[in-house]
Structure formats: structure tokens, C-alpha cells
Amino acid sequence: MCRAIAILVTSLCVVAVSGASLAQEPAKRAGVRVFAYYYPWYEAGDWSRHGYAGTPVLGKYGTDSPKVAQQHIDWCARHHVDGLFVSWWGKDHLAARHLNAGLMKASNLDQIQFALFYESLGLLDDKDGAADGVVDFGKPKVMAALVADFRHLKRNYFGHASYWKISGRPVVGLYVTRTFKGFKADHARQLRDEIDADVYLIADEAFFGEQASPETARNAGDAFDAYTAYNMFENAKVRDGDTALTYQSREAFPVFRRWANRENFLPAIFPSYADFRGHKKLPGTPADFTTLLDAATTIAQRSDASGPPVVFVTSFNEWWEGTTIEPAREYGSEYLEAIRDR
């Protein structure tokens, strides 16, 4: 059930960050939608595949459980998280099996919306004949694989009453499109024609280097309907003493503003960062998260949006990277309350 959630923002403070600042302007009262990235890849009792940060209130749950999904949905609905952007790794992957057995079977799924975040690099990288971190759309097998996957998404998910649509168009996110080579607007049109569905494509394109501006990014322009940045973490850019707030204020938000000034841009923020790979950590607090939410709301409102302003949160339950807002023993439901109470 689509519902616009009015997020009331009273004021935005200026946060000093190592000589820079999170240049914020007063946010207007407007309907802003909040979607959180969701990972249905946890097996009950066995979270040993990677190390993880934090202790879920639900324990080492399995995402193939409808009861677990129902609790997740209830938390989201009660705290004004409008929907979940669900990681999708292919129809035979554990995450897809858990999605179908868990979230899709939840009796309260009508309380929020969901959409799929297509894991492009993992699904397409080797289809061009080389697993090299480049997805070459000059190779016909790449486009064929993309079309086949989207046909499956259409058959199994797009028609669901809770599937997120913008102006009637089913939304799909595409991970790290900056790895795409030779992707043009014609490819997007071909995809829509071949699956007979006018999909709304959100590209994870913004990042650092040439990707920091739509003027130099590889796939900016008319190839996609909207743009975002799933996660702006870069280990080399973390300074001593940084927090999630100071880091994103200094490194991410200037990129967000450049993109929002030229493209339909949907900002994404993370409350903290502590991954299993041994990278530098970025601690966070609910108060700092509120500041980030306010700043992201301002960015979303000024973007040339073709739908309601949207802020993404990375993530609801990515415990392996420590970016969670799901209730935990360490912080309770304070991050969710920060969304609800603004």
C-alpha cells in the first residue's frame, strides 16, 4: 500500500568537520520516503560465513522465516520506514530462496513496500567472458542475461500489490553501474521492450574520482531514470577520529550535491560502518544519524525528481558491514526512532 510519509524537519545544524562543514539549508516540510536496503541471506543459527558487528535483538535469525520478516516489517511500519530495497542475487541464490520463503510470505507485507536491488556485478561480470570487474554491454550475452533475469523479476514480483512503483512503473535498483561499459539509453529501451514492462531503473553510479560528478561519470545522462550511491565508504579516505557523520559530511555530501544539481538523485546514508574485511571503522550515534537524515532530506528535496523525494538508508540489516538500523542489543531501536521522530 503506497503511502507518502510526511517527515517534519524543524531545522538543520551546521556540523564542523576537520575544516569542512556539512553545509545544510533549512529543510521544507514535504513528503519524503525512506527505503532501507535489506539482505535476506541469513541462515538461522549459523552466521559464521563472515564476522559481523552488533547483536540483533532477534538473535541469529533466518531470513527464510515469515515470522522474522513480519517482525522486520512491523518495525519498519511503526517507525516510518516506507519500504525495503531487497538484495537480489539471481533466482537460484540463497537470498532469493529466503526472500520467497520469508518476506514474500509475511502476512503483513501490505504495511510497507519493497523493490529489488539487482546485484549487477555478481550476476553479470562473467557473462562477457571475463570476470574482471567490468560488465561489457558490447557482448550480447551480457544483455541476454540481464533480460532473462528481469523477465523472472516481472513474472514473480512486479505484480505484487506491495511492489514499489513510481508513476505506475516497477522500480529496480542496479548495483555499481559504474562497472558498466558501453551501456546506453538504447539498452534500457531494449530491456523494457523485451520484458514488456516500463521498469524504473535506479543506478548506483555516484562515487569518487570520475564518478563524483555526473559530468564525468561513465553512465550519467539518459541511460537511467534516477541515480544513487549505495555506499560511499572508501577505506583510504577515512581519517583518524572520523565518525560516520564526519566522514559522510566531508566525503559523501559534496558528491551528492553535484549529482542532485544535474540529475534525479536519491541520496543514501549509513549510520555506522564496521565490516568483516578489517577496514577502518566509522562509529555512529542516533543523534548523528538524525543529522545525516536531515541533510539527505534536503538533498532529496532539491533533486529534479520524477517521483516523491526518496532517502535510502544503507542498511536495515547488513550486519557484515555494520551499517544496521535493525534493533540491536547495543542501541535498541534508537536508529528507527530517529526516523520516526524527526
Side-chain angles (χ1 to χ4, degrees):
M1 176 174 64
C2 179
R3 73 197 198 293
I5 300 296
I7 294 184
L8 305 182
V9 181
T10 57
S11 64
L12 292 172
C13 59
V14 177
V15 181
V17 183
S18 302
S21 66
L22 184 56
Q24 299 172 332
E25 48 199 69
K28 303 173 184 176
R29 296 174 183 265
V32 176
R33 313 203 70 207
V34 175
F35 279 74
Y37 288 92
Y38 186 79
Y39 291 88
W41 56 23
Y42 298 106
E43 298 189 85
D46 182 9
W47 283 29
S48 60
R49 186 152 45 119
H50 299 300
Y52 61 96
T55 312
V57 167
L58 295 181
K60 295 179 181 179
Y61 59 78
T63 40
D64 56 347
S65 165
K67 289 185 178 180
V68 167
Q70 285 163 204
Q71 180 61 78
H72 287 164
I73 292 166
D74 182 63
W75 276 326
C76 288
R78 288 193 290 112
H79 293 89
H80 297 180
V81 176
D82 294 271
L84 297 172
F85 218 5
V86 184
S87 176
W88 194 81
W89 287 84
K91 62 184 178 64
D92 298 319
H93 193 276
L94 177 145
R97 298 197 303 272
H98 278 212
L99 166 63
N100 296 337
L103 191 73
M104 299 301 294
K105 296 291 179 63
S107 61
N108 58 348
L109 185 53
D110 62 342
Q111 294 183 16
I112 64 167
Q113 293 188 304
F114 76 98
L116 297 175
F117 189 56
Y118 183 82
E119 300 285 353
S120 312
L121 187 61
L123 288 164
L124 300 177
D125 186 20
D126 63 351
K127 299 299 187 293
D128 57 8
D132 56 1
V134 177
V135 179
D136 187 356
F137 277 86
K139 307 292 185 180
K141 288 184 178 180
V142 173
M143 192 64 193
L146 182 67
V147 168
D149 284 341
F150 271 63
R151 283 185 176 136
H152 178 84
L153 301 186
K154 178 188 175 183
R155 284 195 305 269
N156 292 277
Y157 305 105
F158 290 172
H160 194 284
S162 290
Y163 198 89
W164 181 25
K165 297 179 177 66
I166 294 178
S167 300
R169 303 170 62 192
V171 174
V172 179
L174 295 151
Y175 180 56
V176 288
T177 54
R178 60 185 180 270
T179 65
F180 288 8
K181 177 182 178 182
F183 189 90
K184 306 295 183 185
D186 285 345
H187 291 100
R189 283 191 287 270
Q190 180 185 345
L191 174 63
R192 296 184 180 105
D193 288 346
E194 293 205 27
I195 69 169
D196 193 25
D198 190 15
V199 286
Y200 187 98
L201 300 175
I202 300 176
D204 170 26
E205 182 74 14
F207 200 58
F208 299 115
E210 67 180 5
Q211 300 303 118
S213 169
E215 295 180 357
T216 54
R218 293 166 198 163
N219 298 296
D222 59 355
F224 300 100
D225 296 288
Y227 294 88
T228 191
Y230 165 73
N231 188 337
M232 291 293 289
F233 181 84
E234 180 84 341
N235 196 57
K237 293 184 177 294
V238 178
R239 299 177 185 174
D240 290 344
D242 260 343
T243 65
L245 174 60
T246 61
Y247 173 84
Q248 290 175 90
S249 301
R250 183 185 67 246
E251 302 293 347
F253 275 85
V255 175
F256 293 172
R257 293 188 189 95
R258 283 194 288 274
W259 276 86
N261 284 338
R262 292 181 60 97
E263 300 285 356
N264 180 13
F265 185 75
L266 314 178
I269 56 171
F270 54 83
S272 56
Y273 193 91
D275 72 18
F276 65 91
R277 305 175 189 90
H279 290 150
K280 298 173 185 176
K281 296 180 180 180
L282 292 171
T285 67
D288 286 354
F289 182 58
T290 296
T291 301
L292 289 167
L293 280 167
D294 288 345
T297 294
T298 300
I299 296 289
Q301 287 171 331
R302 71 198 254 185
S303 182
D304 181 21
S306 57
V310 172
V311 171
F312 289 123
V313 175
T314 308
S315 63
F316 184 81
N317 67 336
E318 224 298 22
W319 293 96
W320 292 333
E321 292 189 345
T323 59
T324 57
I325 61 170
E326 178 184 356
R329 292 181 184 176
E330 290 79 6
Y331 54 77
S333 57
E334 291 184 43
Y335 286 108
L336 288 173
E337 291 165 8
I339 297 172
R340 181 197 64 193
D341 294 342
R342 290 170 60 238

